[in-house]
Amino acid sequence: MTTAKDLFIIAMDLKHSVGQGDLSLGLAGAELIDLIGAGAVAVDGDRIVPGAPPTLDDRFMGEAAAGLTRQAPYERIEDWLWRRGRDLTAAYQVGLEENGELKPQRSGRLSFGSERVEPVDTPARRHAADRWEEKEPVLAALASVVGIDDERSDDEAGLDDEAVTTVVAAVHDAVMELEAVRQRRTIENAAFANLWRGP
């Protein structure tokens, strides 16, 4: 089980609208946090310093580790989030569907893309639900940052690892940047529509 997979399952399980871009950034951050936990990377300021290639039994974690920049100057955390996060939500959905962990949805819950799906009752889903119910600090912090649960505090209380706190803060900044881009586009589109509409 990985933090990214747990985050994806929680996002699918809860009746809460989550932006696909926001979740993709959160998934990339979760992968990075798990790589830190596995000793595969360290954080030096805002840079990701890779260690020895780890043995990982998760496909996505393996892809994340293989994509690390292994030459100095190492990649900035923010750059990693944007690069690794590109279309990551869709990739997780396809991966879980292939593993039989997602099924067609019966009712109008949260969906990504044109096909509506929901998690199957598996050990992975129960594990994610347990972490969520226990308010496990890393999962709760990432979920709050990507907007899964507004009722929980979005501070980083309970995160006792400086590197993890740095990654969560970087995810927060990236999500805020993405929201700013969305708002700018909305304003530009509205102005363009008004221009065509005329006085």
Side-chain angles (χ1 to χ4, degrees):
M1 314 298 174
T2 67
T3 301
K5 189 173 180 180
D6 290 346
L7 181 63
F8 182 87
I9 290 171
I10 292 301
M12 297 292 286
D13 251 348
L14 297 180
K15 297 177 181 177
H16 197 105
S17 178
V18 181
Q20 188 167 347
D22 297 353
L23 184 56
S24 287
L25 290 167
L27 293 172
E31 289 181 343
L32 185 54
I33 287 170
D34 282 350
L35 288 173
I36 293 169
V41 300
V43 170
D44 183 9
D46 66 346
R47 302 275 173 178
I48 302 167
V49 182
T55 302
L56 301 164
D57 59 3
D58 179 83
R59 181 185 117 198
F60 289 105
M61 292 301 296
E63 290 173 0
L68 293 169
T69 301
R70 297 195 167 272
Q71 295 176 338
Y74 302 110
E75 191 168 24
R76 293 171 60 240
I77 294 171
E78 181 182 359
D79 295 337
W80 156 269
L81 294 174
W82 288 108
R83 181 174 62 81
R84 176 63 185 160
R86 186 181 303 275
D87 299 324
L88 197 54
T89 297
Y92 267 84
Q93 179 171 330
V94 169
L96 268 64
E97 284 184 67
E98 288 174 352
N99 292 342
E101 296 182 70
L102 294 177
K103 64 182 179 181
Q105 205 173 56
R106 292 195 190 101
S107 59
R109 280 189 180 177
L110 175 67
S111 69
F112 301 110
S114 56
E115 189 175 319
R116 295 178 180 273
V117 291
E118 64 184 359
V120 175
D121 187 21
T122 62
R125 183 183 187 184
R126 290 191 290 275
H127 178 266
D130 288 345
R131 281 184 79 182
W132 183 247
E133 287 302 315
E134 291 165 9
K135 299 184 180 179
E136 194 277 323
V138 172
L139 183 61
L142 285 169
S144 177
V145 165
V146 301
I148 288 177
D149 189 52
D150 294 331
E151 293 177 8
R152 297 180 187 226
S153 170
D154 65 356
D155 62 24
E156 281 115 39
L159 297 179
D160 55 5
D161 185 295
E162 187 177 339
V164 171
T165 302
T166 299
V167 173
V168 171
V171 173
H172 178 269
D173 291 347
V175 168
M176 291 297 99
E177 185 179 338
L178 183 60
E179 180 58 28
V181 169
R182 285 193 194 110
Q183 290 179 2
R184 190 165 61 246
R185 283 184 183 160
T186 299
I187 292 168
E188 288 170 354
N189 289 341
F192 187 73
N194 287 336
L195 182 67
W196 279 102
R197 205 173 288 125

